[in-house]
Amino acid sequence: MQFHTGSLPGLTAIIGLIPELNFGVYAFGNLDHAELRYALMYKAIDLFLDLGDTDWNKEFLVLYGELDKQNKELQKEGQSGQIKGNSPTLGLADYTGAYNDKLLGPLIVTLDGNKLNPHYS
């Protein structure tokens, strides 16, 4: 089997191929990091090859749940090394404005109280 994933902000995709069997499946998602795409791919393969009834959604939910837990623990560790009482070099209003990224396009940053809000257009 060969497979490849792809992601953009708000979108995910996966393609799975078994060339020897002339089989292919492609799944799209409209949510960042929607790893259901793996479960859909493996379920399609199971159905095509009559391999049984594995609950791939459950399997990947456990896998990615554990990875998410580990990631949150690592974030806490990283944050524990941050310097307390630090503040931005500039005032928050100085970070507002229009930005552009070659991949993501235009970004507008506004200030709402003490919070910067990014808006992709």
Side-chain angles (χ1 to χ4, degrees):
M1 183 180 88
Q2 302 166 2
F3 74 93
H4 193 276
T5 62
S7 298
L8 291 172
L11 302 170
T12 60
I14 193 167
I15 185 170
L17 303 170
I18 305 175
E20 299 82 11
L21 300 175
N22 292 322
F23 174 83
V25 59
Y26 199 80
F28 292 103
N30 62 351
L31 178 66
D32 283 332
H33 305 292
E35 302 312 341
L36 175 64
R37 59 187 165 174
Y38 288 96
L40 291 170
M41 180 184 69
Y42 281 108
K43 184 65 174 181
I45 292 167
D46 283 355
L47 290 170
F48 181 74
L49 297 176
D50 196 22
L51 294 176
D53 196 26
T54 301
D55 186 347
W56 290 109
N57 186 49
K58 181 180 176 183
E59 297 289 329
F60 282 103
L61 186 61
V62 170
L63 172 66
Y64 282 100
E66 184 59 33
L67 290 173
D68 186 52
K69 180 181 171 185
Q70 291 173 8
N71 189 36
K72 286 179 181 174
E73 289 172 6
L74 288 171
Q75 285 177 346
K76 283 183 185 177
E77 287 177 25
Q79 290 171 350
S80 68
Q82 291 178 347
I83 300 170
K84 304 293 181 198
N86 200 4
S87 59
T89 304
L90 303 173
L92 290 181
D94 295 319
Y95 294 100
T96 63
Y99 299 86
N100 192 42
D101 182 86
K102 290 180 183 178
L103 177 64
L104 300 175
L107 171 72
I108 306 297
V109 178
T110 59
L111 182 62
D112 182 16
N114 284 331
K115 183 179 176 185
L116 291 170
N117 293 309
H119 304 280
Y120 285 101
S121 52

